[in-house]
PDB file of all heavy atoms in Angstrom:
ATOM      1  N   GLN A1338       7.890  12.761  -8.699  1.00  0.00           N
ATOM      2  CA  GLN A1338       7.024  13.857  -8.708  1.00  0.00           C
ATOM      3  C   GLN A1338       5.746  13.495  -7.925  1.00  0.00           C
ATOM      4  O   GLN A1338       5.378  12.387  -7.776  1.00  0.00           O
ATOM      5  CB  GLN A1338       6.639  14.264 -10.137  1.00  0.00           C
ATOM      6  CG  GLN A1338       5.837  13.246 -10.856  1.00  0.00           C
ATOM      7  CD  GLN A1338       5.461  13.767 -12.321  1.00  0.00           C
ATOM      8  OE1 GLN A1338       6.234  14.281 -13.018  1.00  0.00           O
ATOM      9  NE2 GLN A1338       4.232  13.528 -12.623  1.00  0.00           N
ATOM     10  N   SER A1339       5.140  14.531  -7.309  1.00  0.00           N
ATOM     11  CA  SER A1339       3.903  14.352  -6.629  1.00  0.00           C
ATOM     12  C   SER A1339       3.084  15.608  -6.825  1.00  0.00           C
ATOM     13  O   SER A1339       3.392  16.697  -6.271  1.00  0.00           O
ATOM     14  CB  SER A1339       4.161  14.106  -5.121  1.00  0.00           C
ATOM     15  OG  SER A1339       2.978  14.216  -4.478  1.00  0.00           O
ATOM     16  N   SER A1340       1.971  15.515  -7.597  1.00  0.00           N
ATOM     17  CA  SER A1340       1.159  16.668  -7.757  1.00  0.00           C
ATOM     18  C   SER A1340       0.358  16.933  -6.481  1.00  0.00           C
ATOM     19  O   SER A1340       0.114  18.061  -6.127  1.00  0.00           O
ATOM     20  CB  SER A1340       0.231  16.513  -8.957  1.00  0.00           C
ATOM     21  OG  SER A1340      -0.453  15.259  -8.824  1.00  0.00           O
ATOM     22  N   VAL A1341       0.007  15.848  -5.697  1.00  0.00           N
ATOM     23  CA  VAL A1341      -0.771  16.090  -4.491  1.00  0.00           C
ATOM     24  C   VAL A1341       0.017  16.776  -3.428  1.00  0.00           C
ATOM     25  O   VAL A1341      -0.486  17.552  -2.631  1.00  0.00           O
ATOM     26  CB  VAL A1341      -1.465  14.826  -3.989  1.00  0.00           C
ATOM     27  CG1 VAL A1341      -2.431  14.265  -4.981  1.00  0.00           C
ATOM     28  CG2 VAL A1341      -0.479  13.801  -3.506  1.00  0.00           C
ATOM     29  N   LEU A1342       1.384  16.471  -3.324  1.00  0.00           N
ATOM     30  CA  LEU A1342       2.217  17.140  -2.356  1.00  0.00           C
ATOM     31  C   LEU A1342       2.889  18.360  -2.886  1.00  0.00           C
ATOM     32  O   LEU A1342       3.500  19.124  -2.133  1.00  0.00           O
ATOM     33  CB  LEU A1342       3.271  16.130  -1.815  1.00  0.00           C
ATOM     34  CG  LEU A1342       2.760  15.064  -0.868  1.00  0.00           C
ATOM     35  CD1 LEU A1342       3.738  13.920  -0.782  1.00  0.00           C
ATOM     36  CD2 LEU A1342       2.547  15.677   0.566  1.00  0.00           C
ATOM     37  N   GLY A1343       2.752  18.560  -4.235  1.00  0.00           N
ATOM     38  CA  GLY A1343       3.416  19.694  -4.828  1.00  0.00           C
ATOM     39  C   GLY A1343       4.894  19.506  -4.892  1.00  0.00           C
ATOM     40  O   GLY A1343       5.645  20.514  -4.793  1.00  0.00           O
ATOM     41  N   TRP A1344       5.362  18.274  -4.940  1.00  0.00           N
ATOM     42  CA  TRP A1344       6.822  18.032  -4.975  1.00  0.00           C
ATOM     43  C   TRP A1344       7.306  17.630  -6.338  1.00  0.00           C
ATOM     44  O   TRP A1344       6.571  16.901  -7.100  1.00  0.00           O
ATOM     45  CB  TRP A1344       7.138  16.844  -4.022  1.00  0.00           C
ATOM     46  CG  TRP A1344       6.976  17.131  -2.558  1.00  0.00           C
ATOM     47  CD1 TRP A1344       6.535  18.316  -2.012  1.00  0.00           C
ATOM     48  CD2 TRP A1344       7.231  16.216  -1.463  1.00  0.00           C
ATOM     49  NE1 TRP A1344       6.478  18.162  -0.616  1.00  0.00           N
ATOM     50  CE2 TRP A1344       6.881  16.875  -0.252  1.00  0.00           C
ATOM     51  CE3 TRP A1344       7.673  14.913  -1.396  1.00  0.00           C
ATOM     52  CZ2 TRP A1344       7.008  16.289   0.977  1.00  0.00           C
ATOM     53  CZ3 TRP A1344       7.814  14.307  -0.170  1.00  0.00           C
ATOM     54  CH2 TRP A1344       7.479  14.993   1.025  1.00  0.00           C
ATOM     55  N   ASP A1345       8.513  18.075  -6.715  1.00  0.00           N
ATOM     56  CA  ASP A1345       9.173  17.444  -7.831  1.00  0.00           C
ATOM     57  C   ASP A1345      10.095  16.393  -7.246  1.00  0.00           C
ATOM     58  O   ASP A1345       9.748  15.788  -6.236  1.00  0.00           O
ATOM     59  CB  ASP A1345       9.980  18.515  -8.582  1.00  0.00           C
ATOM     60  CG  ASP A1345       8.985  19.459  -9.349  1.00  0.00           C
ATOM     61  OD1 ASP A1345       7.995  18.954  -9.869  1.00  0.00           O
ATOM     62  OD2 ASP A1345       9.216  20.680  -9.355  1.00  0.00           O
ATOM     63  N   ALA A1346      11.285  16.171  -7.806  1.00  0.00           N
ATOM     64  CA  ALA A1346      12.138  15.066  -7.263  1.00  0.00           C
ATOM     65  C   ALA A1346      12.546  15.461  -5.808  1.00  0.00           C
ATOM     66  O   ALA A1346      12.981  16.583  -5.518  1.00  0.00           O
ATOM     67  CB  ALA A1346      13.438  15.063  -8.145  1.00  0.00           C
ATOM     68  N   VAL A1347      12.289  14.484  -4.937  1.00  0.00           N
ATOM     69  CA  VAL A1347      12.623  14.632  -3.560  1.00  0.00           C
ATOM     70  C   VAL A1347      13.225  13.354  -3.048  1.00  0.00           C
ATOM     71  O   VAL A1347      12.698  12.265  -3.267  1.00  0.00           O
ATOM     72  CB  VAL A1347      11.341  14.928  -2.680  1.00  0.00           C
ATOM     73  CG1 VAL A1347      11.659  14.895  -1.191  1.00  0.00           C
ATOM     74  CG2 VAL A1347      10.759  16.273  -3.069  1.00  0.00           C
ATOM     75  N   ASP A1348      14.377  13.468  -2.388  1.00  0.00           N
ATOM     76  CA  ASP A1348      15.049  12.275  -1.894  1.00  0.00           C
ATOM     77  C   ASP A1348      14.618  12.085  -0.442  1.00  0.00           C
ATOM     78  O   ASP A1348      14.712  13.028   0.361  1.00  0.00           O
ATOM     79  CB  ASP A1348      16.552  12.547  -1.883  1.00  0.00           C
ATOM     80  CG  ASP A1348      17.290  11.285  -1.617  1.00  0.00           C
ATOM     81  OD1 ASP A1348      16.730  10.289  -1.120  1.00  0.00           O
ATOM     82  OD2 ASP A1348      18.547  11.247  -1.912  1.00  0.00           O
ATOM     83  N   LEU A1349      14.110  10.889  -0.122  1.00  0.00           N
ATOM     84  CA  LEU A1349      13.640  10.602   1.253  1.00  0.00           C
ATOM     85  C   LEU A1349      14.730   9.989   2.119  1.00  0.00           C
ATOM     86  O   LEU A1349      14.420   9.532   3.213  1.00  0.00           O
ATOM     87  CB  LEU A1349      12.396   9.653   1.188  1.00  0.00           C
ATOM     88  CG  LEU A1349      11.201  10.263   0.434  1.00  0.00           C
ATOM     89  CD1 LEU A1349      10.067   9.223   0.394  1.00  0.00           C
ATOM     90  CD2 LEU A1349      10.754  11.556   1.008  1.00  0.00           C
TER      91      LEU A1349
END
Side-chain angles (χ1 to χ4, degrees):
Q1338 63 179 48
S1339 169
S1340 52
V1341 299
L1342 286 161
W1344 291 1
D1345 291 319
V1347 171
D1348 191 345
L1349 299 180

